[in-house]
Amino acid sequence: MPATPDTTPVDHGAEPLARPDVTGPANDDGAAPAVTAPGTRAWPAIIGLVVCVAAGTWVIVANASGWLLVIFAVLALVALVDLAIVVRRGRRATTA
């Protein structure tokens, strides 16, 4: 039978690499906290608001069923609240 190689790990005196200390209040695993630019979230909210208002206007003009108008109104309200939160956080980030 052929001889099997020795698989014992060899210590060459190298120290393990140190991880930088970037822990934050939200994470303790060493990862940097995620930061999103306000414009990255603002544009989808603006587009969603415009689309929902346009669709609601179409529902009114086309005299379609009322529940479609309610759905588009609720979605427009959600987009408006999201946009308000993004703008508020963006202003808070620039003044901090």
Side-chain angles (χ1 to χ4, degrees):
M1 275 198 123
T4 58
D6 187 15
T7 57
T8 307
V10 179
D11 183 19
H12 294 288
E15 295 182 17
L17 298 175
R19 289 174 48 180
D21 185 22
V22 292
T23 56
N27 55 356
D28 293 328
D29 62 351
V35 178
T36 304
T40 306
R41 286 192 52 211
W43 281 112
I46 292 169
I47 292 169
L49 182 62
V50 169
V51 166
C52 288
V53 168
T57 304
W58 172 80
V59 167
I60 292 171
V61 170
N63 202 14
S65 62
W67 62 269
L68 276 176
L69 182 60
V70 171
I71 289 173
F72 287 125
V74 169
L75 290 175
L77 182 64
V78 169
L80 186 64
V81 169
D82 185 35
L83 184 60
I85 291 170
V86 169
V87 168
R88 180 175 172 236
R89 288 183 180 172
R91 286 184 183 163
R92 187 174 55 186
T94 58
T95 60

